[in-house]
Amino acid sequence: GISKYMENDSFSHDREATEETLLFRLMQEDAAQAPEACILSPIGRLRLLWDASAVIFLIFELWFTTFEIAFLDDADAPLILQILTIGITCFFFVDIGLNFFTGYIIGARLEMQLRRAWRHYLFTWFLVDLLATFPWDLLISRPFSFMALIRITKMP
């Protein structure tokens, strides 16, 4: 039947084997390459856990922002949700800093040199991450002044 065909499907098997081989090779390079002391592997357990948390926070932000726009005024949001969104914003600012200290994969090679990681992040995703993370609603909701910008960082 169909299951027998799927078992003998060499293409899907070869593709899976190739993906496993590539991942295994990257993990070996990760272990063999002498990374600088303060750089994280993009495929390491800590970084993967961090990225999984980021996905969960993004899903929450998508839900809450939609809910807030549809049903709440600025003052109506429960305090716990306001605190949670500020905490998530802080998480993503930390993520920006962490990205400068995370290696990256280029082709089939793992790059774990700090200077190259900084340069790669700065010229690829940094601006996008910064624009997406900055709390524009707090800046726009108040008259612009330098003091207002400083106060934004102290708001609960």
Side-chain angles (χ1 to χ4, degrees), residues 59-72:
I59 291 169
F60 172 81
E61 280 286 323
L62 286 170
W63 170 81
F64 182 68
T65 302
T66 305
F67 181 80
E68 186 177 35
I69 290 170
F71 300 110
L72 301 175

Side-chain angles (χ1 to χ4, degrees), residues 44-54:
R45 178 172 282 155
L46 177 65
R47 187 60 210 206
L48 293 176
L49 260 162
W50 183 268
D51 290 343
S53 300

Side-chain angles (χ1 to χ4, degrees), residues 88-109:
I88 290 171
T89 299
C90 291
F91 172 89
F92 283 112
F93 273 117
V94 170
D95 184 59
I96 289 172
L98 193 62
N99 284 330
F100 280 108
F101 295 94
T102 301
Y104 61 97
I105 298 171
I106 183 98
R109 189 175 54 103

Side-chain angles (χ1 to χ4, degrees), residues 22-23 26 42-43 103-111 120:
L22 179 61
L23 182 59
L26 285 172
I43 57 173
Y104 61 97
I105 298 171
I106 183 98
R109 189 175 54 103
L110 181 63
E111 180 58 62
H120 181 263

